[in-house]
Amino acid sequence: MIELKNLTLKEARLKLKQKEFSAVDLAKAYLDVIQANNQRLNVFLEVYDDVLKQAEAADEKIQRGEDLPLLGIPVALKDNILVKGKRATSGSKILEGFVAPYDSTLVKKLKDAGAVLIGRTNMDEFAMGSSTENSAFGITRNPVDEERVPGGSSGGSAASVAGDMSLVSFGSDTGGSVREPAAFCGLVGLKPTYGGISRHGLMAMGSSLDIIGPFTKTVTDSEILFDVVQGKDSMDSTTFDESTYVKKPLKEKMVLGVPYHLFKNGGLEKDAEEVFNQSIEKLKNIGYEIKEINLPNISYSLAVYYILMPAEVSSNLARFDGVRFGLHVEGKNLLEDYMKTKGTGFGKEVRRRILMGTYVLSSGYHDAYYNKALLLRQKISDEINEVFKEVDLIVTPTTPGPAFKIGEKSNDPLALYVQDIFTVPANIVGIPAISIPSGFVEVEGKQLPLGIQFMAPHNNEHLFFEVGKKFRGE
Ligand code: GLN
């Protein structure tokens, strides 16, 4: 029996190399857990039929003495990441029957690194949500407390790692969809610098905000995965060369900035505030300087995000017209085809955002909404970059509180949008951010995990990897 609960990528690589277990043993261990729990938790929408074949191929390479960074490591993928020859639906009925014609750059890199791809995980439809209750294929349950949501929109990918159904996984983060479920499931969730990982083969939500990121149990593993999959890609012009942004050298005594004003006035649940304050004390004890910072316009981030994101959504999702991909519902004429296909294929939240996006881009309103939001985006960006002259990292809680109950907020879109209050600024500005487990709150006799978020200047992930490892004692 392989002990999966605390197994990290780093340890698994070592044990595979030392032949303590084989890649097939490891894959089988995860498949057994999936077999036992997936029906109840609804984490995987599909478990690939060639998992053991991939694991056998990895074992052959191990036998030959090959040493690839992810050789034999079981990885799960969010359902919006393309794997050639496999289905991908983005949690939507509109992509019924769609089979990916090519590998995303992420998947190409994972395959080259020897990873064993387990399957595709459940998600909020087209990555719109904070709870994985918006999928066309049912809700996913949080393995930490099955009455609660795993967070979203990459809830399936988070639950797969937290529930020992894969060793690591990938999701996408447009406004917090990797960091928020990581916090709710007790994991490390990374949102790299915009353009840090290629988006080629990731289904687009808000193209100026989207980024792929990994879920892991440790900061060390997050760094390992990031190193494998990051980098310039000719298929995504927003990826960049290492030299594009200055990499700050690691300092002995880093300065961490905390915008207390953002969550002092009721933005944070009481217990969560206590856990955050304890984390700050811990960081001080490690030897970091804590500095209170002021970001006057950061509180507008959520409003800016919920204008820009739907605008981009309305444009990106126009391609699902019932002609080119997936579902087609026949009408009397082309317009009816569109209306019937989109009306049955898209869920409620997706339709809401397409409508909002179309509205803020309409000729009568784009000056009032879209253009204003763009100006504010620049302002928030300037403020944050200015603050980075004084501090090395910005620190906030990841979410206002721990995982909430299934159904608790599903009828109130605004209550769900508020979950993103601390995570959206990093997407708006394009800077990297990470959520790291920070402690627990006890709710109804259960220990629910929380996360602490660190944001760094563009291309300076190494700064929070360093602090994060110290914080977690890795
Ligand atoms: N919860 C946010 C939203 O619903 C973020 C989604 C995401 O990051 N993909 O838009």
Side-chain angles (χ1 to χ4, degrees), residues 259 261 293-300 376 379-380 383-384 387:
H261 64 90
I293 54 169
N294 190 23
L295 295 162
N297 286 294
I298 200 174
S299 51
Y300 294 116
L376 256 170
K379 185 113 189 98
I380 293 165
E383 278 174 14
I384 285 187
V387 154

Side-chain angles (χ1 to χ4, degrees), residues 127-130 153 172-177 205 305-306 309 353 420:
M128 300 173 198
S130 303
S153 62
S172 63
D173 191 310
T174 303
S177 282
M205 177 181 167
Y305 173 78
Y306 276 96
M309 173 274 296
R353 296 197 191 194
D420 307 329

Side-chain angles (χ1 to χ4, degrees), residues 7 14 120 176 221 274 349 387 450:
L7 186 66
L14 202 68
R120 55 188 173 94
D221 284 358
E274 253 164 55
E349 183 61 24
V387 154
L450 286 170

